[in-house]
Amino acid sequence: MRCGKMAAASPPAGAPGAWGGARRRCRRLLYWVPVLFISSILCWSYYAYVTQLCLLTMTNIGEKVVCLVAYHIFFMLFVWSYWKTIFTLPMNPSKEFHLSYSDKESLEREPRGESQQEVLRRAAKDLPIYTRTMSGAIRYCDRCQLVKPDRCHHCSVCDKCILKMDHHCPWVNNCVGFSNYKFFLLFLAYSLLYCIFIAATDLQYFIKFWTNGLPDTQAKFHIMFLFFAAAMFSVSLSSLFGYHCWLVSKNKSTLEVFRAPIFRHRTDKNGFSLGFSKNLRQVFGDEKKYWLLPVFSSLGDGCSFPTCLVNQDPEQASTPGGLNSTSKNENHLFPAKPLRDSQSHLLTDTQSWSEISAKPEKGKVGMSNPALTMENET
């Protein structure tokens, strides 16, 4: 009887639900095709370079040893960073950004419009959120049922909200965001170095191919195609890597380039930029010994970020002593709920940051609202 119930509960083979599940599985498999393509190119390049070029074509022992050692260093770093980019799960917003059961019920009861926004404002009042939609509303995800943290976006491929989402990359079958952006940058850097190294060391043998200076074996065709592939990938990777280096220097994501973040006071395309040094440290961390290794060292928690606001947020408490952004040096003001000090050393840099006690708002018991000022960027 129990088995009969279980069989009845499962959809028949021709049911729409069964077809939908099969489509999803096929789509997941297709998403791995670009990764398999890159992996196959990498395996062939290893065989062509190590076996056909170094072991069978190079005659100088010293050149052979140097090329093999250097090649395997680049190869290891390339594969390591590529693996970490693919298999590091994107970080999703923490549970404090999800609506409570009562808030979900209130949101469903209220008609769309200002009444729903009032529910979201109440849910987000204690969250470190400073960006808004184009209409000035709280950023909310209907599918995940959560208030979106700053720089968080919903990925339609992953069907999840991704912290500091940059883009969904088909070549790694993963979302590039806060958890793996450093790995993605290193993947681009080491793949570029890998291709440049192959092209540079293969060049003289590529020239010999056209001048009939190579023996008539299958190695000559591997050498020719190896140079073409390395040169072609070097050109495409150099432009992509240069673009992401520019993004890091400006503390922007790809999505923020196309749509600038909208703060409560106004749109500010450089709202998260803290200057080149601090922008670099946000991605790579304070420990320089980890910068070139595919190990996680980025600063922060991915949910809140230091920012420089040109004008004081009118919804936050005023700063003491009548400080405002119209002073002689036009100091940028930091939001009232900054990234936690325990999670980012950017806020403890005494040369650039200073903490100021704020007056508690009237009617709020025992609450102070700190504000941080930041020096002008050079």
Side-chain angles (χ1 to χ4, degrees), residues 293-304:
L293 296 177
V295 294
F296 185 80
S297 59
S298 301
L299 299 182
D301 57 2
C303 292
S304 55

Side-chain angles (χ1 to χ4, degrees), residues 42-168:
L42 188 61
C43 292
W44 167 77
S45 68
Y46 185 90
Y47 167 76
Y49 190 89
V50 173
T51 304
Q52 298 294 335
L53 179 60
C54 291
L55 298 180
L56 299 179
T57 305
M58 291 183 181
T59 55
N60 187 294
I61 300 297
E63 180 188 11
K64 187 180 298 188
V65 171
V66 169
C67 286
L68 282 173
V69 170
Y71 173 84
H72 280 91
I73 291 174
F74 288 125
F75 180 81
M76 181 194 70
L77 291 170
F78 176 17
V79 172
W80 187 8
S81 57
Y82 189 44
W83 178 275
K84 293 284 285 186
T85 307
I86 295 172
F87 294 105
T88 299
L89 294 176
M91 285 181 64
N92 312 120
S94 56
K95 61 181 181 180
E96 60 187 354
F97 290 90
H98 291 259
L99 293 187
S100 63
Y101 181 76
S102 59
D103 286 333
K104 288 178 186 177
E105 282 193 329
S106 301
L107 203 64
E108 290 172 359
R109 283 198 306 266
E110 298 291 346
R112 288 189 176 273
E114 184 58 31
S115 54
Q116 278 195 342
Q117 276 299 301
E118 185 58 38
V119 174
L120 293 177
R121 276 195 291 266
R122 189 167 62 248
K125 64 182 174 61
D126 294 324
L127 297 176
I129 295 173
Y130 304 98
T131 54
R132 295 290 185 266
T133 64
M134 294 184 69
S135 62
I138 300 290
R139 297 172 67 243
Y140 175 73
C141 180
D142 289 315
R143 291 188 65 85
C144 300
Q145 293 188 315
L146 55 81
V147 177
K148 291 182 183 178
D150 294 340
R151 315 184 82 174
C152 174
H153 298 274
H154 187 89
C155 176
S156 57
V157 180
C158 300
D159 197 24
K160 294 177 182 177
C161 281
I162 308 298
L163 294 181
K164 197 188 176 184
M165 180 178 171
D166 188 88
H167 68 289
H168 186 93

Side-chain angles (χ1 to χ4, degrees), residues 3-21:
C3 294
K5 286 183 179 179
M6 289 178 66
S10 60
W19 278 110

